Amino acid sequence: MFVKSLLALMSRVLVAATMHLHDGVKPTGRIRWHFVDANGSIHAPDGTLYGTGVTTNMVVTSGQTYCAQRFIDNTVAAVSHVAIGSSNAAPALGQVALDTETARAALSTKTNAANVSTVIGTIPAGTGPGPVEEVGLFNAAAGPTMIARALTGTINKPAGLGLQFTWGVTHGEGNTWA
């Protein structure tokens, strides 16, 4: 009886210790998008917003591998581009590219604060007009590694406006934006 009780107690201690070893580090992203005019304003001349929205992303398997590689060294290029596409197929972990990419642009801003990395990229006016359903984060002007993908819902991008994405990635616990 004593041995059985001791084994049960040891089992509970082991389970409790294992539960505390999990630190919750999982990159998650939240994306805000805005239409912007040639001056970078998100407001029309009458003061109304051109258009705005918020969505969350999936860090795909190639993005998780990318994060692990960047943690060790810098042999893979840093995150550098945002891309848009017209597919509304659900994101999947195994994806390595947008389903139907229509435009890609370099990031204009990259910052870190605490455990949040924030990047900003704008698909300029005249580039990629039409329906936008998906957005991705990449480390090159073409190909190779997609870090994350999200569905935006249908955004009808006019030719005369840019489409700016502010992508906040939280590494671990916490909220990307208050």
Side-chain angles (χ1 to χ4, degrees):
M1 182 84 151
F2 174 74
V3 172
K4 194 173 190 179
S5 295
L6 183 59
L7 287 173
L9 177 62
M10 288 173 51
S11 176
R12 284 193 300 264
V13 168
L14 182 59
V15 167
T18 303
M19 289 188 321
H20 292 290
L21 292 176
H22 186 280
D23 63 6
V25 174
K26 179 182 179 198
T28 56
R30 187 167 167 190
I31 306 143
R32 289 185 186 182
W33 63 266
H34 300 281
F35 288 124
V36 294
D37 63 20
N39 299 318
S41 177
I42 63 172
H43 293 97
D46 66 2
T48 60
L49 283 172
Y50 286 119
T52 188
V54 176
T55 189
T56 57
N57 73 221
M58 171 185 283
V59 177
V60 294
T61 302
S62 60
Q64 294 170 10
T65 300
Y66 166 86
C67 290
Q69 288 172 330
R70 287 291 294 185
F71 185 80
I72 299 302
D73 59 41
N74 62 357
T75 57
V76 292
V79 172
S80 60
H81 287 76
V82 64
I84 57 173
S86 60
S87 173
N88 64 1
L93 282 173
Q95 288 182 291
V96 295
L98 293 180
D99 286 340
T100 311
E101 186 173 325
T102 56
R104 193 180 290 206
L107 299 173
S108 58
T109 304
K110 296 190 260 182
T111 60
N112 288 307
N115 65 328
V116 179
S117 300
T118 303
V119 297
I120 299 173
T122 304
I123 306 296
T127 302
V132 175
E133 297 279 353
E134 61 182 333
V135 60
L137 200 55
F138 293 84
N139 71 338
T145 303
M146 181 168 68
I147 312 316
R149 179 175 180 260
L151 294 181
T152 60
T154 303
I155 302 171
N156 289 307
K157 182 182 178 302
L161 292 175
L163 183 54
Q164 184 176 79
F165 294 93
T166 302
W167 203 308
V169 179
T170 302
H171 306 273
E173 300 291 325
N175 204 354
T176 303
W177 289 301

